[in-house]
Amino acid sequence: METNLQIVTRKISSINPATDEVVREFECAEEQDVAAAVERARGSQRAWAALAQRERIAVLREFQRTLHERKLEIAEAITREAGKPVAEALTTEVLVVLDGARFLIDNAYRLLRDEPVPHGNMVAKLKTGYLVREPYGVVGIISPWNYPFSIPATETLAALVAGNAVILKPSELTSVVALELQSLLYAAGLPRDVFQVVVGDGATGAALVHAAIDKLVFTGSVATGKRIAAAAAERLLPVMLELGGKDPMLVLDDADVEVASSAAVWGAFMNAGQTCLSVERCYVHRRLYDKFLTACVEKTKKLRVGNGLERGTDVGPMINERQLKVVEGHVDDAEARGARVLIGGARLPALGANFFAPTVLADVTHEMRIMREETFGPVLPVDVFDSDEEAVELANDSEFGLSASIWTRDGVRGERLARRIQAGTVMVNDVISCFGISEAPHGGVKASGMGRTHGRFGVEEMVRVKYVDVDLMPRMKKVWWYGYGGNFRRQMEGFLDLQFARGFGQRLRGALRTAGIVRRKPL
Ligand code: NAD
């Protein structure tokens, strides 16, 4: 019998968003490719985990050395695929990874070694206990396109140093950079099956979620994050979710307008606004509002928009048409509801298909999409407030909670307000740079996700904690075992009083009632 069965392979293209040129084409990894990669990873993981910690650290050190040598080449590869200026690729991607490696090289041994657990309870003092941190096994990482190097690399290094094998499914828009990461790790001596890249689209990502991995680390949109969490729940797969944001910037009445306006412009337009920690909403005290807007517009005028590979470019293209449409939709909605476009507000077709002018909006309100949904583009919407109380309320009036910033000359006031903001990170007098502080945990609250990457908590996410308990009196039956008899209840009452009663008298009586317990003969 003849069949017309055709095997259709799904293809993806890596495209330079500045020129729309195809950088490279790939076939998507299918379910069976992903399953085979996971199996290979599992086969290699035990030997990797069995190495001494210093041997895994040695691979990281070599990775760091090679990355430093190839820094410009890697930065340019990032620019070709993601559009950001090379200077930004160096600072927000290559530097973040070099320093992330430094943190792990310096701290992995301390963070991953066994940790004693001192016991407070009197009974438990006859035992000693400690924590063992064990790798999960095979960790799946699914990553986005906006930081195609720093996000998967920092997560991968933390997983690897803890003894895991890693399967990375990069964004379908930035596969080339993921393969650069792979080549750096292999050059550093990492066994090949311990880190594998499976290129592909959402379906490849879904196949990874369903494959025999032991933990999933996902960074991307809230919509995909929810889909992944639901799929993971079916098999109780542990997941970490780093999702979207709508980060507020609060400029208090005592802020330095000159400094805060520069921060707002950089925080909103850096990487063409396609940063999870971007300034997505700005609130300025009424006293400073006009002055602040004027300064932002003046500084925006000076920005050079263009191809990120060209020297002197400040703002590159957006990633693609789909993202441009979202930004346009938000700006149009804001204008229709009464916002004023002070500068920008439209595409820049003369530069290429994916360029959008850095835009400053005034007179925005919380009814507008631009203040509620993630815009992820070069737009700075600025609202006004009259009191610190109102500023905190506006900041917290969001489904997201990734980061926030507070601008003030009074550090104490800033720190006090920081405690009241619902976010994973609050910066006082700076924006975004927290992502580059390798010691600082990164992650969100509310719809911005769960779990933390970077620093101590990022390492903890990559291990299971096992508690090992060793009894110091192995030949003694425990007094709380069977054979309760008539007295045990009374003795236990006394024991509770001895430990927890408020008054000294009751404690003493408790001690006397408990005394007989040592003569107990459990079954
Ligand atoms: P996205 O959710 O569209 O895609 C992210 C990844 O998930 C891609 O690799 C994609 O192929 C994959 N994917 C898509 N559908 C899938 C499915 N059903 N199952 C498994 N995998 C699937 O996000 P994006 O557009 O690539 O990235 C932008 C988003 O990421 C923004 O919302 C941004 O805020 C967020 N982000 C968050 C952080 C953070 O640390 N919190 C950092 C960077 C980006």
Side-chain angles (χ1 to χ4, degrees):
M1 197 180 75
E2 248 184 65
T3 62
N4 286 327
L5 199 69
Q6 269 189 317
I7 297 178
V8 182
T9 48
R10 299 185 325 277
K11 290 224 165 95
I12 50 171
S13 306
S14 156
I15 291 169
N16 181 337
T19 59
D20 262 348
E21 277 162 345
V22 174
V23 178
R24 206 169 140 187
E25 288 191 316
F26 298 91
E27 284 182 6
C28 293
E30 300 292 344
E31 208 175 309
Q32 62 274 18
D33 305 321
V34 175
V38 173
E39 205 178 308
R40 285 194 299 275
R42 188 163 303 290
S44 65
Q45 184 265 331
R46 264 203 206 138
W48 173 246
L51 292 178
Q53 186 63 68
R54 70 185 147 70
E55 294 177 90
R56 285 193 297 275
I57 289 177
V59 172
L60 261 63
R61 202 173 268 127
E62 187 56 20
F63 166 85
Q64 190 193 43
R65 194 188 65 74
T66 320
L67 172 58
H68 175 246
E69 260 174 32
R70 294 183 55 200
K71 56 186 180 299
L72 199 56
E73 190 194 330
I74 299 292
E76 286 176 354
I78 294 168
T79 298
R80 261 191 294 280
E81 242 186 348
K84 64 190 69 184
V86 173
E88 271 178 25
L90 282 171
T91 48
T92 66
E93 303 247 29
V94 177
L95 172 60
V96 168
V97 178
L98 285 172
D99 196 65
R102 189 267 312 153
F103 172 79
L104 293 171
I105 290 164
D106 290 350
N107 295 289
Y109 179 76
R110 179 178 60 84
L111 294 174
L112 290 164
R113 72 182 163 196
D114 295 353
E115 182 184 326
V117 177
H119 299 154
N121 184 322
M122 253 183 223
V123 184
K125 288 201 185 291
L126 295 179
K127 300 154 156 301
T128 172
Y130 56 96
L131 303 180
V132 178
R133 292 182 168 83
E134 295 179 339
Y136 272 96
V138 181
V139 173
I141 297 179
I142 299 180
S143 56
W145 48 266
N146 62 334
Y147 286 85
F149 190 65
S150 57
I151 289 176
T154 48
E155 293 167 355
T156 295
L157 294 180
L160 291 177
V161 84
N164 297 286
V166 171
I167 306 286
L168 168 63
K169 205 303 278 177
S171 165
E172 48 273 52
L173 307 176
T174 51
S175 312
V176 172
V177 172
L179 292 173
E180 290 289 0
L181 172 61
Q182 180 173 273
S183 88
L184 286 163
L185 286 167
Y186 290 171
L190 187 75
R192 293 197 160 224
D193 291 344
V194 173
F195 176 80
Q196 298 167 71
V197 175
V198 289
V199 294
D201 53 10
T204 307
L208 182 57
V209 180
H210 287 104
I213 54 173
D214 303 295
K215 169 131 192 182
L216 181 75
V217 176
F218 172 77
T219 310
S221 63
V222 175
T224 312
K226 283 183 180 170
R227 233 171 280 141
I228 284 175
E234 264 174 46
R235 48 184 280 224
L236 296 179
L237 173 70
V239 279
M240 188 169 90
L241 302 172
E242 294 285 359
L243 309 178
K246 191 73 198 167
D247 291 0
M249 169 175 186
L250 308 182
V251 183
L252 306 189
D253 56 1
D254 67 343
D256 182 327
V257 172
E258 174 54 24
V259 175
S261 56
S262 291
V265 168
W266 184 77
F269 304 148
M270 198 267 279
N271 196 21
Q274 303 164 121
T275 298
C276 55
L277 301 169
S278 280
V279 173
E280 284 257 335
R281 330 174 252 150
C282 185
Y283 302 94
V284 182
H285 191 273
R286 193 174 299 280
R287 209 154 60 75
L288 308 179
Y289 191 64
D290 291 335
K291 200 170 153 202
F292 181 85
L293 283 171
T294 308
C296 287
V297 170
E298 284 312 309
K299 288 169 186 178
T300 303
K301 273 186 200 154
K302 294 187 183 140
L303 297 177
R304 285 172 62 175
V305 184
N307 188 327
L309 287 173
E310 284 162 17
R311 273 173 199 268
T313 296
D314 295 306
V315 182
M318 296 192 56
I319 192 73
N320 58 19
E321 176 62 24
R322 198 171 137 219
Q323 203 52 47
L324 273 151
K325 281 216 171 90
V326 173
V327 175
E328 248 176 356
H330 285 195
V331 172
D332 290 349
D333 171 77
E335 264 196 284
R337 291 172 193 251
R340 278 184 299 135
V341 178
L342 301 185
I343 186 169
R347 296 180 186 230
L348 298 169
L351 295 178
N354 298 316
F355 289 88
F356 196 88
T359 300
V360 180
L361 298 179
D363 301 343
V364 291
T365 66
H366 269 208
E367 282 69 55
M368 300 172 184
R369 292 175 67 199
I370 198 100
M371 298 303 270
R372 308 210 72 87
E373 299 169 26
E374 188 176 43
T375 307
F376 228 51
V379 185
L380 175 65
V382 190
D383 195 0
V384 68
F385 66 83
D386 289 297
S387 66
D388 287 6
E389 203 59 36
E390 192 190 352
V392 170
E393 259 173 46
L394 287 164
N396 289 341
D397 178 24
S398 171
E399 66 167 306
F400 298 100
L402 196 52
S403 87
S405 69
I406 297 173
W407 296 80
T408 171
R409 285 193 168 92
D410 178 351
V412 175
R413 182 181 176 199
E415 285 177 51
R416 209 170 43 231
L417 287 191
R419 289 176 184 272
R420 299 179 55 199
I421 306 285
Q422 296 160 357
T425 300
V426 182
M427 302 196 82
V428 180
N429 294 323
D430 200 4
V431 283
I432 301 178
S433 66
C434 50
F435 190 74
I437 301 168
S438 303
E439 288 73 15
H442 169 72
V445 300
K446 302 200 276 188
S448 292
M450 52 179 91
R452 294 292 181 266
T453 57
H454 293 197
R456 170 159 70 93
F457 294 98
V459 173
E460 293 282 2
E461 291 278 359
M462 301 301 177
V463 289
R464 289 194 184 103
V465 175
K466 178 186 279 179
Y467 170 64
V468 177
D469 186 278
V470 181
D471 203 278
L472 299 173
M473 311 280 278
R475 304 196 50 182
M476 193 182 98
K477 290 183 185 174
K478 308 299 166 241
V479 290
W480 54 87
W481 290 356
Y482 274 138
Y484 296 155
N487 289 334
F488 186 51
R489 182 176 141 175
R490 215 178 97 78
Q491 288 162 346
M492 277 319 288
E493 260 184 76
F495 184 64
L496 265 57
D497 287 347
L498 168 65
Q499 285 204 82
F500 301 108
R502 284 285 160 96
F504 177 72
Q506 200 181 355
R507 281 193 181 220
L508 193 63
R509 280 193 298 279
L512 294 174
R513 278 165 102 183
T514 311
I517 210 164
V518 291
R519 290 193 299 277
R520 276 204 73 221
K521 297 246 177 307
L523 288 182

